[in-house]
């Protein structure tokens, strides 16, 4: 049940598209994506440097990805609860310190002698995942609450659209230097970002609620104590599944798909991920304007999800025979899943101020965490169905859930966010 969040205090003035909260949230997400995708980009060269065979690179690499995604899953709950109990800014500071330290530690993996380097690598990616989990949800929540409702869609799409170019910078950093230096650069960018955050102020909506001592804030279990609330929460997660099918399966394992397609040139997963994120960033920038033009979050997301489905089918079954075509399809699929910002915004808009950060932070990280069963399902079906059909099985499940969720979730375009979950 929703009830108004009443306060006698005047709210601070709302900001424009290029106000400090929007700029800092966008740069924060830029660094977040740089660090989040860095392992996917350096997976093959870094594990080769550790002396692993091609088969080990596939299995150990998938395991390390799962450790990182497990950290995101745990961190999403941790930072979401902190965001509603302690404030949006506490998450923005705490999360970036955590993942910056972890990424610097990853740069030393080749020199580790006190334990198995691959296990050390996995543990550091787990810690990095915990830190990375807090960035986007807290940033989107803050921007959603400081922008007027007429500007929310475009404001949050700017945050994600600009931020997603962090994947491009990560790819070229690895190309210009090496994978170890790329990890050090990521950590340095994180600590540099802390200086920019000093001038950002807390959300007025959160301040109003924090003064109401009787209001329960950040209660993660409350998503599971009310049928309507649980339905909204699960549908928010379901909407995001196709995005990480494309990133976590089709792009990350593009070298395996390339071999299955009979492409002679060796496919570089890092380059596939980069092109996917160029498309994703472009789609995210467009998604806010599409949502605004259609006056509907649901229609905008459904349109982009349909584009992602069409190009995923072309990728899997059109019989592509060149690396250029594969990278081009990664770009096209990336545009289709460019509803990521809108998906997180929907998660923030579905719930009251006392649960908003918890929802907006846990929802995207639940989706990221579900990459674990996606990769396990893909690996399970590979021996019997082969690479292409194994990927298609995972995609079929993700798109069915995704379309059902966006078609049945309540519309939030133009919704007033100054209310509480009772």
């Amino acid at each position: 049940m929703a009830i108004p969040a009443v306060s006698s205090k005047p709210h601070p003035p709302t900001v424009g598209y290029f106000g400090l909260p929007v700029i800092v949230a966008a740069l924060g997400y830029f660094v977040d994506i740089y660090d989040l995708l860095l392992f996917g980009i350096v997976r093959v060269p870094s594990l080769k440097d550790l002396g692993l065979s091609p088969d080990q690179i596939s299995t150990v690499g998938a395991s390390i990805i799962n450790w990182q995604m497990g950290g995101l899953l745990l961190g999403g709950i941790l930072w979401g609860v902190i965001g509603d109990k302690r404030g949006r800014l506490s998450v923005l500071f705490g999360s970036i310190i955590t993942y910056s330290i972890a990424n610097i530690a990853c740069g030393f993996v080749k020199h580790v002698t006190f334990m198995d380097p691959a296990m050390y690598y996995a543990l550091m990616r787990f810690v990095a995942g915990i830190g990375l989990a807090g960035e986007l949800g807290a940033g989107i929540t803050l921007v959603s609450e400081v922008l007027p409702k007429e500007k929310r869609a475009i404001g949050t799409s700017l945050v994600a659209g600009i931020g997603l170019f962090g994947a491009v910078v990560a790819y070229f950093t690895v190309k210009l230097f090496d994978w170890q230096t790329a990890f050090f650069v990521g950590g340095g960018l994180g600590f540099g970002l802390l200086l920019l955050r000093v001038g950002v102020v807390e959300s007025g909506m959160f301040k109003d609620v924090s003064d109401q001592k009787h209001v329960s804030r950040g209660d993660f279990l409350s998503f599971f104590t009310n049928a309507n609330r649980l339905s909204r929460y699960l549908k928010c997660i379901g909407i995001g599944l196709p995005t990480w099918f494309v990133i976590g399966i089709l792009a990350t394992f593009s070298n395996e798909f390339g071999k299955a397609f009979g492409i002679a040139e060796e496919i570089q997963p890092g380059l596939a991920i980069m092109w996917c994120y160029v498309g994703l960033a472009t789609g995210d920038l467009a998604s806010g304007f599409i949502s605004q033009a259609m006056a509907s979050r649901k229609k905008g997301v459904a349109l982009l999800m349909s584009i992602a489905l069409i190009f995923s089918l072309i990728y899997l079954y059109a019989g592509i025979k060149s690396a250029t075509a594969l990278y081009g399809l990664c770009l096209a699929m990336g545009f289709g899943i460019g509803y990521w910002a809108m998906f997180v915004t929907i998660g923030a808009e579905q719930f009251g101020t006392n649960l908003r950060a918890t929802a907006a932070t846990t929802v995207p990280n639940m989706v990221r965490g579900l990459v674990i069963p996606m990769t396990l399902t893909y690996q399970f079906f590979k021996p019997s169905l082969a690479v292409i059909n194994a990927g298609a099985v995972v995609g079929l499940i993700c798109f069915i859930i995704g379309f059902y969720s966006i078609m049945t979730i309540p519309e939030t375009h133009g919704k007033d966010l100054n209310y509480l979950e009772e």
Side-chain angles (χ1 to χ4, degrees):
M1 178 181 175
I3 60 173
V6 180
S7 173
S8 59
K9 296 181 180 180
H11 280 237
T14 54
V15 299
Y17 292 133
F18 298 102
L20 187 60
V22 179
I23 293 172
V24 171
L27 292 175
Y29 192 42
F30 178 94
V31 177
D32 175 277
I33 287 297
Y34 176 103
D35 289 330
L36 177 66
L37 273 295
L38 189 54
F39 175 72
I41 293 170
V42 305
R43 174 176 63 96
V44 174
S46 65
L47 293 178
K48 272 185 181 177
D49 276 2
L50 294 183
L52 274 63
S53 68
D55 286 342
Q56 288 175 317
I57 287 172
S58 178
T59 56
V60 174
S63 175
I64 294 174
I65 289 172
N66 288 345
W67 274 88
Q68 177 174 296
M69 294 305 172
L72 285 160
L73 191 60
L74 178 63
I77 298 171
L78 172 69
W79 296 117
V81 171
I82 292 174
D84 277 326
K85 288 186 178 293
R86 306 289 300 177
R88 293 32 172 156
L89 293 184
S90 61
V91 176
L92 293 178
F93 281 98
S95 64
I96 201 167
I97 292 171
T98 304
Y99 70 72
S100 296
I101 292 173
N103 276 289
I104 290 171
C106 285
F108 293 104
V109 65
K110 193 176 176 181
H111 307 288
V112 169
T113 57
F114 58 88
M115 66 183 296
D116 176 51
M119 179 52 67
Y120 169 88
Y121 207 173
L123 289 174
M124 290 305 100
R125 294 320 300 164
F126 177 76
V127 175
I130 291 175
L132 290 164
E135 189 71 43
L136 177 62
I140 292 291
T141 301
L142 181 63
V143 170
S144 295
E145 291 179 341
V146 300
L147 285 177
K149 61 185 179 182
E150 297 81 11
K151 296 181 178 181
R152 275 203 310 265
I154 295 175
T156 55
S157 70
L158 285 172
V159 170
I162 294 169
L164 288 166
F165 280 106
V168 180
V169 174
Y171 174 79
F172 283 108
T173 302
V174 175
K175 282 295 181 184
L176 291 172
F177 302 102
D178 56 50
W179 64 269
Q180 293 163 292
T181 303
F183 277 120
F184 297 143
V185 169
L189 287 172
F191 285 116
L193 184 63
L194 286 174
L195 300 176
L196 288 176
R197 291 201 161 146
V198 174
V200 180
V201 296
E202 186 59 85
S203 157
M205 289 184 192
F206 172 78
K207 286 183 177 179
D208 288 348
V209 173
S210 64
D211 290 339
Q212 300 177 44
K213 304 302 181 185
H214 64 284
V215 175
S216 174
R217 306 195 310 274
D219 181 4
F220 177 69
L221 294 179
S222 67
F223 289 120
F224 306 93
T225 58
N226 176 280
N228 177 270
R229 191 179 298 134
L230 177 61
S231 175
R232 283 180 283 143
Y233 186 69
L234 292 177
K235 287 173 182 177
C236 285
I237 295 169
I239 292 167
L241 291 182
T243 63
W244 271 93
F245 162 68
V246 170
I247 300 165
I249 302 296
L250 300 185
T252 298
F253 295 100
S254 56
N255 55 329
E256 298 180 14
F257 284 99
K259 287 180 182 178
F261 297 149
I263 297 174
E265 182 181 341
E266 183 179 357
I267 299 299
Q268 302 175 49
L271 188 56
I273 291 170
M274 187 206 76
W275 281 116
C276 189
Y277 268 79
V278 170
L280 212 167
T282 306
D284 257 321
L285 287 170
S287 68
F289 294 94
I290 293 171
S291 170
Q292 206 78 356
M294 290 183 160
S296 170
R297 305 277 191 262
K298 296 175 60 170
K299 291 178 182 177
V301 169
L303 173 63
L304 289 168
M305 194 183 293
S306 299
I307 293 172
L309 174 59
I310 290 167
F311 283 109
S312 294
L313 289 171
I314 294 172
Y315 178 97
L316 289 168
Y317 291 114
I320 55 175
K321 295 298 180 184
S322 73
T324 301
L326 187 146
Y327 295 136
L329 282 167
C330 285
L331 176 69
M333 290 187 297
F335 181 84
I337 60 170
Y339 64 83
W340 180 254
M342 206 50 53
F343 143 72
V344 180
T345 303
I346 289 171
E349 292 174 335
Q350 287 289 334
F351 301 96
T353 307
N354 54 324
L355 283 178
R356 187 165 298 129
T358 305
T361 305
T362 57
V363 163
N365 290 301
M366 289 290 179
V367 175
R368 290 163 169 169
L370 287 170
V371 172
I372 297 174
M374 285 187 208
T375 55
L376 291 176
T377 303
Y378 169 67
Q379 298 287 354
F380 175 80
F381 281 112
K382 260 201 312 184
S384 58
L385 298 180
V387 169
I388 296 173
N389 290 331
V393 168
V394 179
L396 178 66
I397 296 168
C398 291
F399 276 104
I400 287 174
I401 295 173
F403 277 110
Y404 171 78
S405 299
I406 193 59
M407 289 169 63
T408 56
I409 201 168
E411 179 64 70
T412 56
H413 176 80
K415 184 178 181 180
D416 185 358
L417 297 187
N418 194 25
Y419 69 96
L420 304 175
E421 291 284 336
E422 182 60 32

